[in-house]
Amino acid sequence: MFEPNEVLQTLTGRGHVSAEGIDAVRVRYRVVVERREGSVVASGTLTGSHASLKPVWLVPDATLRLKNGRRIEISITDLVGDVAEFESTGPVSPT
């Protein structure tokens, strides 16, 4: 069995976030991968240039590429200054 809202991993590092028609943006990320109600989801923060993150925030679908090459489909839900919050929008591997 698994615990509700069980944190599986916390990932930090430098990567890129991109969206269709927008150049990739360099970011520092903190990703929390957890199991919620039987599915694996990710959420966290991105830190980068506000001017560069704003166009990504305005589109619903983006991709976060981690330093190890792993990709997570995300949507930026909030942008305050140089820090954006996001949630995963697609399947997330637990490892």
Side-chain angles (χ1 to χ4, degrees):
M1 295 289 304
F2 57 86
E3 299 284 326
N5 296 338
E6 173 188 8
V7 173
L8 303 174
Q9 286 183 304
T10 300
L11 309 166
T12 59
R14 296 181 184 266
H16 294 86
V17 65
S18 60
E20 188 172 330
I22 299 169
D23 291 334
V25 178
R26 290 181 183 195
V27 294
R28 287 189 324 255
Y29 59 81
R30 181 178 188 278
V31 180
V32 177
V33 179
E34 61 186 315
R35 189 179 311 274
R36 288 188 203 156
E37 299 174 4
S39 47
V40 178
V41 297
S43 61
T45 57
L46 306 172
T47 304
S49 159
H50 178 84
S52 297
L53 285 169
K54 188 173 181 179
V56 181
W57 177 47
L58 296 174
V59 297
D61 298 314
T63 301
L64 172 60
R65 188 177 71 215
L66 307 182
K67 63 183 174 184
N68 64 4
R70 181 177 179 184
R71 295 175 187 269
I72 301 174
E73 299 303 315
I74 65 167
S75 180
I76 294 178
T77 57
D78 198 13
L79 176 61
V80 177
D82 291 340
V83 179
E85 294 179 0
F86 70 89
E87 295 181 357
S88 61
T89 59
V92 177
S93 168
T95 58

